[in-house]
Amino acid sequence: MKVIDDEYYMALALDMAERALGQTGTNPVVGAVVVKDGALVGLGTHLQRGTPHAEVHALNMAGSRAEGSTVYVTLEPCSHHGLTPPCAERLIHEKVQRVVVACEDPNPLVAGRGIEMLRAAGVEVKVGVLHERALKLNRRFIKFITTGMPYVTIKSASTLDGKLASRTGDSKWISNEKAREIVHTMRHRHQAIMVGVSTIVADDPQLSTRMTVPGLSPVRVVADSTLRIPETAQILRDGTAPTWIVTTEQADPEKAKRLMGLGAEVLRCGSGPQVDLREALVQLGQRGISSVLVEGGGRLNGSLLERQLVDEIVLFFAPKLVGGKESPENFRFTGYDRMQDAVTLRDMEVEQIGDNVCIRGVPVWAQAEVKEGDH
């Protein structure tokens, strides 16, 4: 049995916030709980950018019982006028007695000001309850709001010997059905999905979210330095989600015009023969993309890794050995001369999914030189 304390109520707020992952755009996911005289009287979650924040929903549910209550919120209440009024002001107006905050908001427009506003009004504030879990939940938002760059997750499914397909290109199916369902949930929780053009040429994928219940399909981004994408590709014609093609200044303008005629956006990223992936991510961030799920081949994965543009890696391994010198692998890049320079993973999570194994981790680079040039 769980002890009812500050962590108990904060865990509930975090659970609610997590359910909204993927649908708040560049905003964080936030949950709020209102407790009065030992009873839950209000619950709220931020559901969509530009709509009321979690605190507002919870206070509206609580009504007059908000006065003298304790409010648990997973992220510092905002203190500025944006698309919605400041939540800190609303908490003060409702005369809440105490506010428990999991973590401060890294947004420069807030950054402690909400907490200061509450304390100045005589509201008791406690900060840091389930702090690490709250930070992890909003890691995509934190990366975006502090750097302007999207949070990049590489997802890959391979055999135990690291192959993405057989030597003939056959890849259906490496992972099991449950693992594939998890991948569709990951798509739902990211704003964009990114692949290399070779994936489009070889598989003609939809790159949409297909779950047992309706899900959100991310913007589809294709790295294509020479605009090799076939004009018959599904992602140019199915209307499921927007398609953006990142290419170079050297790419054929006539092909670009035809692609735009099919509804795609063409983003020029770099003047060299290869797409400048860092510039591509900058442009995605400028267009309001705060998270990217990369489902590319070994070359795209390797290029992003080599240039230290990856925030998280999720690898699904199936109990298969396919071999083949020409079989495509998880990561294809120049590599390092010394094992001490290899990319390592921290914050490891290992999960067994039927007969598959999923490994998650955050890449850490040794002091190796960042490669220039791109995909």
Side-chain angles (χ1 to χ4, degrees), residues 322-360:
V322 72
K325 184 178 180 180
E326 302 304 320
S327 300
E329 64 271 5
N330 268 322
F331 298 92
R332 191 174 80 183
F333 59 104
T334 304
Y336 302 104
D337 295 333
R338 301 177 302 172
M339 190 58 66
Q340 69 184 50
D341 294 328
V343 179
T344 58
L345 297 183
R346 63 173 173 82
D347 300 336
M348 291 276 291
E349 296 179 12
V350 180
E351 178 184 4
Q352 185 164 348
I353 305 165
D355 63 352
N356 285 197
V357 173
C358 178
I359 297 176
R360 295 172 178 262

PDB file of all heavy atoms in Angstrom, residues 322-360:
ATOM      1  N   VAL A 322      21.123 -12.851 -38.921  1.00  0.00           N
ATOM      2  CA  VAL A 322      20.923 -12.939 -40.367  1.00  0.00           C
ATOM      3  C   VAL A 322      22.230 -12.885 -41.147  1.00  0.00           C
ATOM      4  O   VAL A 322      22.318 -13.360 -42.276  1.00  0.00           O
ATOM      5  CB  VAL A 322      19.941 -11.844 -40.838  1.00  0.00           C
ATOM      6  CG1 VAL A 322      20.585 -10.467 -40.793  1.00  0.00           C
ATOM      7  CG2 VAL A 322      19.406 -12.127 -42.234  1.00  0.00           C
ATOM      8  N   GLY A 323      23.275 -12.300 -40.539  1.00  0.00           N
ATOM      9  CA  GLY A 323      24.575 -12.249 -41.212  1.00  0.00           C
ATOM     10  C   GLY A 323      24.537 -11.451 -42.503  1.00  0.00           C
ATOM     11  O   GLY A 323      23.626 -10.672 -42.765  1.00  0.00           O
ATOM     12  N   GLY A 324      25.559 -11.650 -43.321  1.00  0.00           N
ATOM     13  CA  GLY A 324      25.624 -10.972 -44.609  1.00  0.00           C
ATOM     14  C   GLY A 324      26.459  -9.714 -44.568  1.00  0.00           C
ATOM     15  O   GLY A 324      26.111  -8.749 -43.879  1.00  0.00           O
ATOM     16  N   LYS A 325      27.582  -9.729 -45.302  1.00  0.00           N
ATOM     17  CA  LYS A 325      28.465  -8.569 -45.329  1.00  0.00           C
ATOM     18  C   LYS A 325      27.759  -7.342 -45.864  1.00  0.00           C
ATOM     19  O   LYS A 325      28.028  -6.217 -45.437  1.00  0.00           O
ATOM     20  CB  LYS A 325      29.697  -8.890 -46.178  1.00  0.00           C
ATOM     21  CG  LYS A 325      30.741  -7.790 -46.210  1.00  0.00           C
ATOM     22  CD  LYS A 325      31.951  -8.208 -47.023  1.00  0.00           C
ATOM     23  CE  LYS A 325      32.993  -7.092 -47.061  1.00  0.00           C
ATOM     24  NZ  LYS A 325      34.181  -7.498 -47.860  1.00  0.00           N
ATOM     25  N   GLU A 326      26.835  -7.546 -46.802  1.00  0.00           N
ATOM     26  CA  GLU A 326      26.135  -6.422 -47.418  1.00  0.00           C
ATOM     27  C   GLU A 326      24.816  -6.092 -46.721  1.00  0.00           C
ATOM     28  O   GLU A 326      24.114  -5.167 -47.141  1.00  0.00           O
ATOM     29  CB  GLU A 326      25.862  -6.738 -48.896  1.00  0.00           C
ATOM     30  CG  GLU A 326      27.105  -7.042 -49.715  1.00  0.00           C
ATOM     31  CD  GLU A 326      28.135  -5.924 -49.645  1.00  0.00           C
ATOM     32  OE1 GLU A 326      27.722  -4.742 -49.667  1.00  0.00           O
ATOM     33  OE2 GLU A 326      29.337  -6.223 -49.561  1.00  0.00           O
ATOM     34  N   SER A 327      24.459  -6.837 -45.694  1.00  0.00           N
ATOM     35  CA  SER A 327      23.212  -6.547 -44.979  1.00  0.00           C
ATOM     36  C   SER A 327      23.320  -5.201 -44.262  1.00  0.00           C
ATOM     37  O   SER A 327      24.324  -4.934 -43.596  1.00  0.00           O
ATOM     38  CB  SER A 327      22.916  -7.658 -43.965  1.00  0.00           C
ATOM     39  OG  SER A 327      22.777  -8.903 -44.613  1.00  0.00           O
ATOM     40  N   PRO A 328      22.314  -4.327 -44.390  1.00  0.00           N
ATOM     41  CA  PRO A 328      22.389  -3.006 -43.746  1.00  0.00           C
ATOM     42  C   PRO A 328      22.413  -3.123 -42.225  1.00  0.00           C
ATOM     43  O   PRO A 328      21.734  -3.979 -41.642  1.00  0.00           O
ATOM     44  CB  PRO A 328      21.124  -2.299 -44.228  1.00  0.00           C
ATOM     45  CG  PRO A 328      20.194  -3.394 -44.616  1.00  0.00           C
ATOM     46  CD  PRO A 328      21.054  -4.515 -45.120  1.00  0.00           C
ATOM     47  N   GLU A 329      23.181  -2.263 -41.581  1.00  0.00           N
ATOM     48  CA  GLU A 329      23.340  -2.310 -40.139  1.00  0.00           C
ATOM     49  C   GLU A 329      22.726  -1.081 -39.476  1.00  0.00           C
ATOM     50  O   GLU A 329      22.409  -0.100 -40.139  1.00  0.00           O
ATOM     51  CB  GLU A 329      24.820  -2.425 -39.756  1.00  0.00           C
ATOM     52  CG  GLU A 329      25.683  -1.255 -40.148  1.00  0.00           C
ATOM     53  CD  GLU A 329      26.279  -1.372 -41.550  1.00  0.00           C
ATOM     54  OE1 GLU A 329      25.941  -2.338 -42.260  1.00  0.00           O
ATOM     55  OE2 GLU A 329      27.046  -0.483 -41.933  1.00  0.00           O
ATOM     56  N   ASN A 330      22.615  -1.169 -38.147  1.00  0.00           N
ATOM     57  CA  ASN A 330      22.014  -0.092 -37.348  1.00  0.00           C
ATOM     58  C   ASN A 330      22.662   1.264 -37.561  1.00  0.00           C
ATOM     59  O   ASN A 330      21.979   2.273 -37.735  1.00  0.00           O
ATOM     60  CB  ASN A 330      22.138  -0.430 -35.854  1.00  0.00           C
ATOM     61  CG  ASN A 330      20.948  -1.170 -35.322  1.00  0.00           C
ATOM     62  OD1 ASN A 330      19.822  -0.897 -35.703  1.00  0.00           O
ATOM     63  ND2 ASN A 330      21.195  -2.122 -34.437  1.00  0.00           N
ATOM     64  N   PHE A 331      23.975   1.308 -37.484  1.00  0.00           N
ATOM     65  CA  PHE A 331      24.717   2.563 -37.556  1.00  0.00           C
ATOM     66  C   PHE A 331      25.867   2.407 -38.528  1.00  0.00           C
ATOM     67  O   PHE A 331      26.715   1.510 -38.362  1.00  0.00           O
ATOM     68  CB  PHE A 331      25.263   2.961 -36.176  1.00  0.00           C
ATOM     69  CG  PHE A 331      24.184   3.213 -35.161  1.00  0.00           C
ATOM     70  CD1 PHE A 331      23.734   2.194 -34.319  1.00  0.00           C
ATOM     71  CD2 PHE A 331      23.606   4.463 -35.045  1.00  0.00           C
ATOM     72  CE1 PHE A 331      22.742   2.412 -33.395  1.00  0.00           C
ATOM     73  CE2 PHE A 331      22.603   4.698 -34.115  1.00  0.00           C
ATOM     74  CZ  PHE A 331      22.162   3.672 -33.290  1.00  0.00           C
ATOM     75  N   ARG A 332      25.902   3.267 -39.535  1.00  0.00           N
ATOM     76  CA  ARG A 332      27.006   3.228 -40.488  1.00  0.00           C
ATOM     77  C   ARG A 332      27.697   4.589 -40.485  1.00  0.00           C
ATOM     78  O   ARG A 332      27.133   5.598 -40.917  1.00  0.00           O
ATOM     79  CB  ARG A 332      26.506   2.890 -41.892  1.00  0.00           C
ATOM     80  CG  ARG A 332      27.642   2.576 -42.850  1.00  0.00           C
ATOM     81  CD  ARG A 332      27.121   2.094 -44.186  1.00  0.00           C
ATOM     82  NE  ARG A 332      26.699   3.212 -45.029  1.00  0.00           N
ATOM     83  CZ  ARG A 332      26.143   3.061 -46.229  1.00  0.00           C
ATOM     84  NH1 ARG A 332      25.915   1.852 -46.696  1.00  0.00           N
ATOM     85  NH2 ARG A 332      25.803   4.111 -46.931  1.00  0.00           N
ATOM     86  N   PHE A 333      28.909   4.604 -39.967  1.00  0.00           N
ATOM     87  CA  PHE A 333      29.706   5.839 -39.979  1.00  0.00           C
ATOM     88  C   PHE A 333      31.171   5.436 -39.882  1.00  0.00           C
ATOM     89  O   PHE A 333      31.504   4.258 -39.749  1.00  0.00           O
ATOM     90  CB  PHE A 333      29.302   6.793 -38.851  1.00  0.00           C
ATOM     91  CG  PHE A 333      29.437   6.249 -37.464  1.00  0.00           C
ATOM     92  CD1 PHE A 333      30.498   6.640 -36.651  1.00  0.00           C
ATOM     93  CD2 PHE A 333      28.500   5.371 -36.945  1.00  0.00           C
ATOM     94  CE1 PHE A 333      30.614   6.159 -35.354  1.00  0.00           C
ATOM     95  CE2 PHE A 333      28.606   4.887 -35.643  1.00  0.00           C
ATOM     96  CZ  PHE A 333      29.666   5.278 -34.853  1.00  0.00           C
ATOM     97  N   THR A 334      32.052   6.401 -39.981  1.00  0.00           N
ATOM     98  CA  THR A 334      33.483   6.138 -40.040  1.00  0.00           C
ATOM     99  C   THR A 334      33.963   5.314 -38.866  1.00  0.00           C
ATOM    100  O   THR A 334      34.768   4.395 -39.008  1.00  0.00           O
ATOM    101  CB  THR A 334      34.274   7.466 -40.105  1.00  0.00           C
ATOM    102  OG1 THR A 334      33.807   8.224 -41.216  1.00  0.00           O
ATOM    103  CG2 THR A 334      35.757   7.188 -40.255  1.00  0.00           C
ATOM    104  N   GLY A 335      33.452   5.642 -37.689  1.00  0.00           N
ATOM    105  CA  GLY A 335      33.852   4.904 -36.489  1.00  0.00           C
ATOM    106  C   GLY A 335      35.053   5.523 -35.805  1.00  0.00           C
ATOM    107  O   GLY A 335      35.637   6.505 -36.274  1.00  0.00           O
ATOM    108  N   TYR A 336      35.425   4.950 -34.672  1.00  0.00           N
ATOM    109  CA  TYR A 336      36.508   5.480 -33.851  1.00  0.00           C
ATOM    110  C   TYR A 336      37.679   4.506 -33.818  1.00  0.00           C
ATOM    111  O   TYR A 336      37.495   3.287 -33.896  1.00  0.00           O
ATOM    112  CB  TYR A 336      35.999   5.752 -32.434  1.00  0.00           C
ATOM    113  CG  TYR A 336      34.826   6.713 -32.404  1.00  0.00           C
ATOM    114  CD1 TYR A 336      33.527   6.240 -32.198  1.00  0.00           C
ATOM    115  CD2 TYR A 336      35.013   8.076 -32.599  1.00  0.00           C
ATOM    116  CE1 TYR A 336      32.444   7.113 -32.180  1.00  0.00           C
ATOM    117  CE2 TYR A 336      33.938   8.958 -32.579  1.00  0.00           C
ATOM    118  CZ  TYR A 336      32.664   8.471 -32.376  1.00  0.00           C
ATOM    119  OH  TYR A 336      31.592   9.329 -32.369  1.00  0.00           O
ATOM    120  N   ASP A 337      38.864   5.057 -33.703  1.00  0.00           N
ATOM    121  CA  ASP A 337      40.071   4.228 -33.685  1.00  0.00           C
ATOM    122  C   ASP A 337      40.265   3.513 -32.348  1.00  0.00           C
ATOM    123  O   ASP A 337      40.864   2.432 -32.300  1.00  0.00           O
ATOM    124  CB  ASP A 337      41.305   5.092 -33.968  1.00  0.00           C
ATOM    125  CG  ASP A 337      41.289   5.666 -35.376  1.00  0.00           C
ATOM    126  OD1 ASP A 337      40.673   5.029 -36.255  1.00  0.00           O
ATOM    127  OD2 ASP A 337      41.890   6.737 -35.586  1.00  0.00           O
ATOM    128  N   ARG A 338      39.756   4.130 -31.282  1.00  0.00           N
ATOM    129  CA  ARG A 338      39.984   3.567 -29.955  1.00  0.00           C
ATOM    130  C   ARG A 338      38.652   3.306 -29.258  1.00  0.00           C
ATOM    131  O   ARG A 338      37.714   4.107 -29.361  1.00  0.00           O
ATOM    132  CB  ARG A 338      40.820   4.530 -29.106  1.00  0.00           C
ATOM    133  CG  ARG A 338      42.184   4.872 -29.709  1.00  0.00           C
ATOM    134  CD  ARG A 338      42.925   5.874 -28.851  1.00  0.00           C
ATOM    135  NE  ARG A 338      42.165   7.113 -28.674  1.00  0.00           N
ATOM    136  CZ  ARG A 338      42.516   8.090 -27.839  1.00  0.00           C
ATOM    137  NH1 ARG A 338      43.609   7.950 -27.091  1.00  0.00           N
ATOM    138  NH2 ARG A 338      41.787   9.179 -27.747  1.00  0.00           N
ATOM    139  N   MET A 339      38.572   2.219 -28.521  1.00  0.00           N
ATOM    140  CA  MET A 339      37.344   1.880 -27.820  1.00  0.00           C
ATOM    141  C   MET A 339      36.983   2.952 -26.800  1.00  0.00           C
ATOM    142  O   MET A 339      35.796   3.196 -26.534  1.00  0.00           O
ATOM    143  CB  MET A 339      37.510   0.517 -27.130  1.00  0.00           C
ATOM    144  CG  MET A 339      36.209  -0.035 -26.563  1.00  0.00           C
ATOM    145  SD  MET A 339      34.900  -0.240 -27.798  1.00  0.00           S
ATOM    146  CE  MET A 339      35.627  -1.538 -28.827  1.00  0.00           C
ATOM    147  N   GLN A 340      37.978   3.622 -26.240  1.00  0.00           N
ATOM    148  CA  GLN A 340      37.699   4.652 -25.242  1.00  0.00           C
ATOM    149  C   GLN A 340      36.988   5.857 -25.843  1.00  0.00           C
ATOM    150  O   GLN A 340      36.413   6.671 -25.125  1.00  0.00           O
ATOM    151  CB  GLN A 340      38.989   5.110 -24.557  1.00  0.00           C
ATOM    152  CG  GLN A 340      39.940   5.888 -25.444  1.00  0.00           C
ATOM    153  CD  GLN A 340      41.242   6.233 -24.717  1.00  0.00           C
ATOM    154  OE1 GLN A 340      41.883   5.368 -24.123  1.00  0.00           O
ATOM    155  NE2 GLN A 340      41.608   7.484 -24.750  1.00  0.00           N
ATOM    156  N   ASP A 341      37.007   5.966 -27.184  1.00  0.00           N
ATOM    157  CA  ASP A 341      36.306   7.061 -27.848  1.00  0.00           C
ATOM    158  C   ASP A 341      34.885   6.681 -28.262  1.00  0.00           C
ATOM    159  O   ASP A 341      34.134   7.520 -28.770  1.00  0.00           O
ATOM    160  CB  ASP A 341      37.079   7.517 -29.090  1.00  0.00           C
ATOM    161  CG  ASP A 341      38.415   8.149 -28.745  1.00  0.00           C
ATOM    162  OD1 ASP A 341      38.498   8.769 -27.664  1.00  0.00           O
ATOM    163  OD2 ASP A 341      39.357   8.017 -29.537  1.00  0.00           O
ATOM    164  N   ALA A 342      34.515   5.428 -28.074  1.00  0.00           N
ATOM    165  CA  ALA A 342      33.192   4.967 -28.501  1.00  0.00           C
ATOM    166  C   ALA A 342      32.081   5.714 -27.780  1.00  0.00           C
ATOM    167  O   ALA A 342      32.240   6.160 -26.634  1.00  0.00           O
ATOM    168  CB  ALA A 342      33.060   3.470 -28.242  1.00  0.00           C
ATOM    169  N   VAL A 343      30.951   5.871 -28.452  1.00  0.00           N
ATOM    170  CA  VAL A 343      29.767   6.458 -27.830  1.00  0.00           C
ATOM    171  C   VAL A 343      29.224   5.459 -26.815  1.00  0.00           C
ATOM    172  O   VAL A 343      29.056   4.277 -27.120  1.00  0.00           O
ATOM    173  CB  VAL A 343      28.689   6.766 -28.884  1.00  0.00           C
ATOM    174  CG1 VAL A 343      27.453   7.359 -28.221  1.00  0.00           C
ATOM    175  CG2 VAL A 343      29.231   7.708 -29.946  1.00  0.00           C
ATOM    176  N   THR A 344      28.979   5.918 -25.614  1.00  0.00           N
ATOM    177  CA  THR A 344      28.407   5.059 -24.583  1.00  0.00           C
ATOM    178  C   THR A 344      27.001   5.554 -24.248  1.00  0.00           C
ATOM    179  O   THR A 344      26.623   6.680 -24.583  1.00  0.00           O
ATOM    180  CB  THR A 344      29.272   5.059 -23.314  1.00  0.00           C
ATOM    181  OG1 THR A 344      29.395   6.410 -22.826  1.00  0.00           O
ATOM    182  CG2 THR A 344      30.657   4.519 -23.597  1.00  0.00           C
ATOM    183  N   LEU A 345      26.234   4.702 -23.580  1.00  0.00           N
ATOM    184  CA  LEU A 345      24.880   5.069 -23.180  1.00  0.00           C
ATOM    185  C   LEU A 345      24.788   5.125 -21.664  1.00  0.00           C
ATOM    186  O   LEU A 345      25.311   4.260 -20.962  1.00  0.00           O
ATOM    187  CB  LEU A 345      23.863   4.054 -23.708  1.00  0.00           C
ATOM    188  CG  LEU A 345      23.734   3.922 -25.228  1.00  0.00           C
ATOM    189  CD1 LEU A 345      22.632   2.924 -25.567  1.00  0.00           C
ATOM    190  CD2 LEU A 345      23.464   5.264 -25.885  1.00  0.00           C
ATOM    191  N   ARG A 346      24.119   6.145 -21.160  1.00  0.00           N
ATOM    192  CA  ARG A 346      23.839   6.247 -19.725  1.00  0.00           C
ATOM    193  C   ARG A 346      22.315   6.234 -19.525  1.00  0.00           C
ATOM    194  O   ARG A 346      21.556   6.261 -20.487  1.00  0.00           O
ATOM    195  CB  ARG A 346      24.449   7.519 -19.129  1.00  0.00           C
ATOM    196  CG  ARG A 346      23.893   8.823 -19.697  1.00  0.00           C
ATOM    197  CD  ARG A 346      24.416  10.029 -18.925  1.00  0.00           C
ATOM    198  NE  ARG A 346      24.027  11.296 -19.537  1.00  0.00           N
ATOM    199  CZ  ARG A 346      22.847  11.887 -19.365  1.00  0.00           C
ATOM    200  NH1 ARG A 346      21.938  11.318 -18.600  1.00  0.00           N
ATOM    201  NH2 ARG A 346      22.578  13.043 -19.963  1.00  0.00           N
ATOM    202  N   ASP A 347      21.900   6.201 -18.272  1.00  0.00           N
ATOM    203  CA  ASP A 347      20.470   6.139 -17.933  1.00  0.00           C
ATOM    204  C   ASP A 347      19.799   4.981 -18.661  1.00  0.00           C
ATOM    205  O   ASP A 347      18.699   5.120 -19.225  1.00  0.00           O
ATOM    206  CB  ASP A 347      19.760   7.457 -18.260  1.00  0.00           C
ATOM    207  CG  ASP A 347      20.335   8.644 -17.513  1.00  0.00           C
ATOM    208  OD1 ASP A 347      20.942   8.418 -16.440  1.00  0.00           O
ATOM    209  OD2 ASP A 347      20.201   9.779 -17.990  1.00  0.00           O
ATOM    210  N   MET A 348      20.452   3.853 -18.654  1.00  0.00           N
ATOM    211  CA  MET A 348      19.989   2.686 -19.402  1.00  0.00           C
ATOM    212  C   MET A 348      18.690   2.114 -18.837  1.00  0.00           C
ATOM    213  O   MET A 348      18.503   2.026 -17.620  1.00  0.00           O
ATOM    214  CB  MET A 348      21.064   1.609 -19.395  1.00  0.00           C
ATOM    215  CG  MET A 348      22.302   1.959 -20.194  1.00  0.00           C
ATOM    216  SD  MET A 348      22.057   1.579 -21.915  1.00  0.00           S
ATOM    217  CE  MET A 348      22.013  -0.202 -21.859  1.00  0.00           C
ATOM    218  N   GLU A 349      17.818   1.722 -19.753  1.00  0.00           N
ATOM    219  CA  GLU A 349      16.611   0.980 -19.412  1.00  0.00           C
ATOM    220  C   GLU A 349      16.542  -0.229 -20.334  1.00  0.00           C
ATOM    221  O   GLU A 349      16.698  -0.088 -21.547  1.00  0.00           O
ATOM    222  CB  GLU A 349      15.353   1.833 -19.581  1.00  0.00           C
ATOM    223  CG  GLU A 349      15.278   3.033 -18.664  1.00  0.00           C
ATOM    224  CD  GLU A 349      14.017   3.861 -18.897  1.00  0.00           C
ATOM    225  OE1 GLU A 349      13.107   3.363 -19.602  1.00  0.00           O
ATOM    226  OE2 GLU A 349      13.953   4.995 -18.411  1.00  0.00           O
ATOM    227  N   VAL A 350      16.325  -1.399 -19.758  1.00  0.00           N
ATOM    228  CA  VAL A 350      16.227  -2.630 -20.550  1.00  0.00           C
ATOM    229  C   VAL A 350      14.882  -3.278 -20.249  1.00  0.00           C
ATOM    230  O   VAL A 350      14.525  -3.471 -19.081  1.00  0.00           O
ATOM    231  CB  VAL A 350      17.375  -3.600 -20.226  1.00  0.00           C
ATOM    232  CG1 VAL A 350      17.247  -4.871 -21.064  1.00  0.00           C
ATOM    233  CG2 VAL A 350      18.730  -2.934 -20.473  1.00  0.00           C
ATOM    234  N   GLU A 351      14.139  -3.598 -21.309  1.00  0.00           N
ATOM    235  CA  GLU A 351      12.808  -4.179 -21.148  1.00  0.00           C
ATOM    236  C   GLU A 351      12.644  -5.347 -22.110  1.00  0.00           C
ATOM    237  O   GLU A 351      12.991  -5.242 -23.290  1.00  0.00           O
ATOM    238  CB  GLU A 351      11.744  -3.115 -21.436  1.00  0.00           C
ATOM    239  CG  GLU A 351      10.322  -3.620 -21.343  1.00  0.00           C
ATOM    240  CD  GLU A 351       9.294  -2.566 -21.725  1.00  0.00           C
ATOM    241  OE1 GLU A 351       9.704  -1.463 -22.142  1.00  0.00           O
ATOM    242  OE2 GLU A 351       8.092  -2.856 -21.621  1.00  0.00           O
ATOM    243  N   GLN A 352      12.120  -6.433 -21.611  1.00  0.00           N
ATOM    244  CA  GLN A 352      11.817  -7.573 -22.474  1.00  0.00           C
ATOM    245  C   GLN A 352      10.389  -7.452 -22.966  1.00  0.00           C
ATOM    246  O   GLN A 352       9.452  -7.243 -22.188  1.00  0.00           O
ATOM    247  CB  GLN A 352      12.019  -8.905 -21.745  1.00  0.00           C
ATOM    248  CG  GLN A 352      11.831 -10.103 -22.668  1.00  0.00           C
ATOM    249  CD  GLN A 352      12.397 -11.381 -22.103  1.00  0.00           C
ATOM    250  OE1 GLN A 352      13.131 -11.358 -21.124  1.00  0.00           O
ATOM    251  NE2 GLN A 352      12.067 -12.500 -22.736  1.00  0.00           N
ATOM    252  N   ILE A 353      10.223  -7.557 -24.283  1.00  0.00           N
ATOM    253  CA  ILE A 353       8.912  -7.443 -24.917  1.00  0.00           C
ATOM    254  C   ILE A 353       8.672  -8.744 -25.678  1.00  0.00           C
ATOM    255  O   ILE A 353       9.077  -8.894 -26.833  1.00  0.00           O
ATOM    256  CB  ILE A 353       8.865  -6.236 -25.875  1.00  0.00           C
ATOM    257  CG1 ILE A 353       9.272  -4.953 -25.144  1.00  0.00           C
ATOM    258  CG2 ILE A 353       7.480  -6.095 -26.484  1.00  0.00           C
ATOM    259  CD1 ILE A 353       9.599  -3.807 -26.062  1.00  0.00           C
ATOM    260  N   GLY A 354       8.050  -9.698 -25.020  1.00  0.00           N
ATOM    261  CA  GLY A 354       7.927 -11.018 -25.614  1.00  0.00           C
ATOM    262  C   GLY A 354       9.316 -11.596 -25.827  1.00  0.00           C
ATOM    263  O   GLY A 354      10.125 -11.665 -24.905  1.00  0.00           O
ATOM    264  N   ASP A 355       9.616 -11.984 -27.081  1.00  0.00           N
ATOM    265  CA  ASP A 355      10.953 -12.510 -27.364  1.00  0.00           C
ATOM    266  C   ASP A 355      11.908 -11.424 -27.860  1.00  0.00           C
ATOM    267  O   ASP A 355      13.025 -11.712 -28.273  1.00  0.00           O
ATOM    268  CB  ASP A 355      10.878 -13.648 -28.390  1.00  0.00           C
ATOM    269  CG  ASP A 355      10.346 -13.191 -29.747  1.00  0.00           C
ATOM    270  OD1 ASP A 355       9.885 -12.019 -29.858  1.00  0.00           O
ATOM    271  OD2 ASP A 355      10.385 -13.990 -30.698  1.00  0.00           O
ATOM    272  N   ASN A 356      11.469 -10.158 -27.826  1.00  0.00           N
ATOM    273  CA  ASN A 356      12.326  -9.031 -28.181  1.00  0.00           C
ATOM    274  C   ASN A 356      12.862  -8.352 -26.923  1.00  0.00           C
ATOM    275  O   ASN A 356      12.289  -8.486 -25.841  1.00  0.00           O
ATOM    276  CB  ASN A 356      11.563  -8.000 -29.004  1.00  0.00           C
ATOM    277  CG  ASN A 356      11.330  -8.413 -30.452  1.00  0.00           C
ATOM    278  OD1 ASN A 356      11.022  -7.583 -31.290  1.00  0.00           O
ATOM    279  ND2 ASN A 356      11.442  -9.694 -30.779  1.00  0.00           N
ATOM    280  N   VAL A 357      13.948  -7.619 -27.076  1.00  0.00           N
ATOM    281  CA  VAL A 357      14.510  -6.826 -25.984  1.00  0.00           C
ATOM    282  C   VAL A 357      14.638  -5.382 -26.457  1.00  0.00           C
ATOM    283  O   VAL A 357      15.113  -5.118 -27.568  1.00  0.00           O
ATOM    284  CB  VAL A 357      15.896  -7.355 -25.552  1.00  0.00           C
ATOM    285  CG1 VAL A 357      16.529  -6.422 -24.530  1.00  0.00           C
ATOM    286  CG2 VAL A 357      15.768  -8.755 -24.975  1.00  0.00           C
ATOM    287  N   CYS A 358      14.189  -4.453 -25.622  1.00  0.00           N
ATOM    288  CA  CYS A 358      14.310  -3.021 -25.928  1.00  0.00           C
ATOM    289  C   CYS A 358      15.328  -2.392 -24.987  1.00  0.00           C
ATOM    290  O   CYS A 358      15.232  -2.548 -23.766  1.00  0.00           O
ATOM    291  CB  CYS A 358      12.959  -2.325 -25.781  1.00  0.00           C
ATOM    292  SG  CYS A 358      13.013  -0.533 -26.077  1.00  0.00           S
ATOM    293  N   ILE A 359      16.297  -1.696 -25.555  1.00  0.00           N
ATOM    294  CA  ILE A 359      17.321  -0.987 -24.789  1.00  0.00           C
ATOM    295  C   ILE A 359      17.203   0.502 -25.076  1.00  0.00           C
ATOM    296  O   ILE A 359      17.227   0.915 -26.239  1.00  0.00           O
ATOM    297  CB  ILE A 359      18.734  -1.479 -25.142  1.00  0.00           C
ATOM    298  CG1 ILE A 359      18.887  -2.957 -24.775  1.00  0.00           C
ATOM    299  CG2 ILE A 359      19.797  -0.643 -24.425  1.00  0.00           C
ATOM    300  CD1 ILE A 359      20.220  -3.551 -25.173  1.00  0.00           C
ATOM    301  N   ARG A 360      17.046   1.284 -24.029  1.00  0.00           N
ATOM    302  CA  ARG A 360      16.976   2.742 -24.146  1.00  0.00           C
ATOM    303  C   ARG A 360      18.162   3.350 -23.414  1.00  0.00           C
ATOM    304  O   ARG A 360      18.577   2.847 -22.371  1.00  0.00           O
ATOM    305  CB  ARG A 360      15.693   3.305 -23.519  1.00  0.00           C
ATOM    306  CG  ARG A 360      14.412   2.904 -24.190  1.00  0.00           C
ATOM    307  CD  ARG A 360      13.218   3.367 -23.371  1.00  0.00           C
ATOM    308  NE  ARG A 360      11.956   3.038 -24.004  1.00  0.00           N
ATOM    309  CZ  ARG A 360      11.238   3.876 -24.739  1.00  0.00           C
ATOM    310  NH1 ARG A 360      11.670   5.116 -24.927  1.00  0.00           N
ATOM    311  NH2 ARG A 360      10.100   3.493 -25.274  1.00  0.00           N
TER     312      ARG A 360
END
